[in-house]
Amino acid sequence: METPVDTKTPVKESQVGGLAIRFEEGVTEPEVKNILEKCNLNIYMLDYDVEDFADKYYIKVDENKRDELKKEENWNDPIYPEIPEPRFPEINKGNYYYILVSEEGLEDESFLKVMEKYNLQIKKFVWCYVRFEKSDDSKYWIPEKDALRIKNNLEMNETVLNVFPDYIDG
């Protein structure tokens, strides 16, 4: 017996109303706008340096330094043994690793000792939120396929670490 398939009702396309973008520390608002222009984003409003996002802090290291850190006792052991996630997740970009540090990690004495031993500096991500809007402030959205194309283009830039599409429910 065959299961009936509805071929008449159109499938609703996923819609994206904005993009959350994680940049390296030090990127300026004009630099962000320049990066967005190169990706042909022209109907948007930019919220620069948004504080509402998690994962605010990081350490940037090359592969050699990362290998040294891995040798440190308990450096990146899971917080909860039953959950095998590393204590400090990493983003690999080019020749560098961005080690995400929680606010709790900033207060951990053993972590701070390792930071001092290797002369590492805590940096802060610059989070930006791009809202798709028209010049009259009306909401706008783009299809998911376009958002993913833009995401991939943006992530090719060396100062862009991650792009997260913000899907519209409904």
Side-chain angles (χ1 to χ4, degrees):
M1 188 168 224
E2 260 184 60
T3 306
V5 177
D6 181 359
T7 57
K8 293 185 171 100
T9 306
V11 176
K12 187 170 183 205
E13 184 174 26
S14 292
Q15 302 171 346
V16 175
L19 301 170
I21 307 171
R22 181 177 9 208
F23 289 91
E24 269 193 71
E25 182 178 83
V27 69
T28 64
E29 188 170 359
E31 289 171 322
V32 170
K33 288 179 179 180
N34 187 39
I35 291 167
L36 296 174
E37 284 174 20
K38 288 180 181 176
C39 285
N40 294 323
L41 277 177
N42 51 11
I43 301 178
Y44 71 89
M45 295 298 296
L46 174 65
D47 295 328
Y48 173 77
D49 201 13
V50 179
E51 292 288 328
D52 296 346
F53 290 99
D55 298 331
K56 294 179 183 182
Y57 304 101
Y58 70 97
I59 305 164
K60 182 179 176 181
V61 297
D62 63 21
E63 190 169 0
N64 294 334
K65 184 75 73 173
R66 179 177 169 256
D67 290 344
E68 289 177 39
L69 290 172
K70 283 184 166 185
K71 293 175 187 172
E72 288 292 325
E73 185 177 348
N74 303 325
W75 164 253
N76 209 7
D77 291 345
I79 296 173
Y80 305 104
E82 64 276 7
I83 303 172
E85 294 291 318
R87 181 174 173 199
F88 305 115
E90 299 175 350
I91 300 168
N92 177 242
K93 179 91 176 188
N95 297 325
Y96 293 96
Y97 288 86
Y98 296 80
I99 301 169
L100 282 58
V101 180
S102 65
E103 292 191 31
E104 295 81 28
L106 297 175
E107 299 171 5
D108 182 280
E109 203 170 305
S110 63
F111 169 78
L112 295 174
K113 285 180 183 177
V114 171
M115 293 287 295
E116 187 176 332
K117 177 179 178 179
Y118 290 97
N119 196 28
L120 298 172
Q121 300 296 313
I122 293 288
K123 297 183 179 213
K124 190 173 180 183
F125 292 115
V126 175
W127 280 96
C128 294
Y129 187 76
V130 172
R131 291 177 283 125
F132 299 125
E133 292 184 5
K134 295 181 181 177
S135 58
D136 64 358
D137 291 335
S138 62
K139 299 289 181 219
Y140 188 73
W141 60 270
I142 62 173
E144 179 183 37
K145 66 179 176 17
D146 292 341
L148 295 177
R149 179 186 47 77
I150 293 167
K151 171 189 176 348
N152 291 335
N153 287 341
L154 284 168
E155 287 180 346
M156 291 178 74
N157 185 290
E158 63 186 29
T159 60
V160 176
L161 298 175
N162 302 99
V163 178
F164 304 94
D166 186 10
Y167 290 91
I168 297 173
D169 294 332

